[in-house]
Amino acid sequence: MNKAEPTVPQAEAALDDQAAVATAPALEVTNLGKRVTLPSGELTILDGLSFSIARGEAVAIVGASGSGKSTLLALMAGLDLPSSGQVTLEGAPMSALDEDGRARVRGEKVGFVFQSFQLLPSLTALENVMLPLELRGDADAATPARAILDRVGLGQRLHHYPRQLSGGEQQRVALARAFVTRPALLFADEPTGNLDTRTGQAIIELLFELNAAAGTTLVLVTHDEHLARRCRRLLRLDGGRLVAA
């Protein structure tokens, strides 16, 4: 028996669903709060944050040290759970998922770039970039990993270990690893914080070049106002509250 063709109402509903997905925010934060209990009492790190980030948008989260920037990034990525409120990442309600569910969403949707590079020291540059592809079960991880390492200027460093690379080269490997899965959303936490000014500027240019080519939604945590101004929008935190969006 042939599979029944969808009716007109069913087809229209499917199109409506596709349109809703396409226009939905990449990331939505609703009444987000984070509190921890200390011997001296309860400490509020984030308090009642609400905002959304459109697909393909580049947003910088700025604020003084201790304002809650890194905590917010961890909550948005599902690396930590909020005390209250909700994060919806590419349609997935992160705090409603268990740890395996959040990890699955990150593996499918998210890339990361960190200040400290977070490369595995026992793996070569190529192996570090192949790793997220292997973890999600891609049959061929080497070909795309080689291609993006060549694109970031490290085609001659494939078999070097992190200890054999400069800071700027390590961050290029980290960028390649972040973009190799073609993530819908990229989180970058102080990506130039461990680099000198000249090297940091080169990494900024490369980050935005790769991001524009991939059409990725970029969420950038930084104290560098110059870097922040490269983004379309700034979210400013002060004492755990959103003071500008």
Side-chain angles (χ1 to χ4, degrees):
M1 185 187 307
N2 292 332
K3 187 176 179 180
E5 293 292 328
T7 65
V8 171
Q10 288 173 329
E12 290 177 344
L15 289 173
D16 288 343
D17 289 343
Q18 291 172 4
V21 169
T23 58
L27 186 76
E28 191 164 15
V29 170
T30 307
N31 296 321
L32 194 69
K34 181 66 177 180
R35 297 176 295 277
V36 296
T37 301
L38 302 175
S40 56
E42 188 175 73
L43 173 66
T44 297
I45 301 174
L46 297 172
D47 186 15
L49 274 58
S50 294
F51 59 88
S52 63
I53 297 175
R55 294 175 187 273
E57 190 174 16
V59 175
I61 299 172
V62 299
S65 296
S67 60
K69 301 188 301 298
S70 292
T71 298
L72 175 58
L73 186 144
L75 293 174
M76 290 189 296
L79 297 170
D80 192 10
L81 290 175
S83 303
S84 57
Q86 174 65 49
V87 173
T88 303
L89 193 158
E90 286 287 314
M94 297 300 278
S95 58
L97 300 174
D98 61 17
E99 188 167 346
D100 288 343
R102 296 194 303 275
R104 185 165 52 251
V105 172
R106 287 194 299 270
E108 294 173 353
K109 305 287 189 181
V110 176
F112 292 95
V113 179
F114 299 99
Q115 175 178 347
S116 56
F117 318 136
Q118 299 287 6
L119 302 178
L120 294 179
S122 61
L123 300 183
T124 65
L126 179 62
E127 290 166 341
N128 266 285
V129 177
M130 289 171 58
L131 185 60
L133 298 173
E134 292 173 332
L135 289 175
R136 75 177 186 185
D138 286 23
D140 178 15
T143 300
R146 287 175 182 274
I148 196 164
L149 280 166
D150 187 61
R151 185 170 182 181
V152 301
L154 293 177
Q156 305 302 314
R157 298 284 192 272
L158 299 180
H159 303 295
H160 286 62
Y161 291 91
R163 66 181 180 275
Q164 298 172 310
L165 301 172
S166 68
E169 288 172 333
Q170 289 185 63
Q171 194 61 298
R172 285 172 181 267
V173 175
L175 285 175
R177 181 184 58 188
F179 280 103
V180 73
T181 59
R182 301 191 66 82
L185 196 148
L186 179 72
F187 291 112
D189 190 3
E190 300 284 6
T192 61
N194 278 348
L195 304 173
D196 62 75
T197 301
R198 181 177 178 180
T199 304
Q201 184 59 41
I203 291 298
I204 290 171
E205 296 301 327
L206 183 58
L207 170 63
F208 280 93
E209 175 189 327
L210 292 170
N211 195 68
T216 305
T217 304
L218 175 63
V219 181
L220 183 70
V221 169
T222 184
H223 67 276
D224 183 340
E225 293 286 343
H226 173 71
L227 174 54
R229 286 194 295 272
R230 291 290 302 269
C231 295
R232 177 179 174 184
R233 182 158 60 108
L234 267 66
L235 301 176
R236 190 174 298 276
L237 295 180
D238 186 7
R241 291 179 177 270
L242 190 62
V243 295

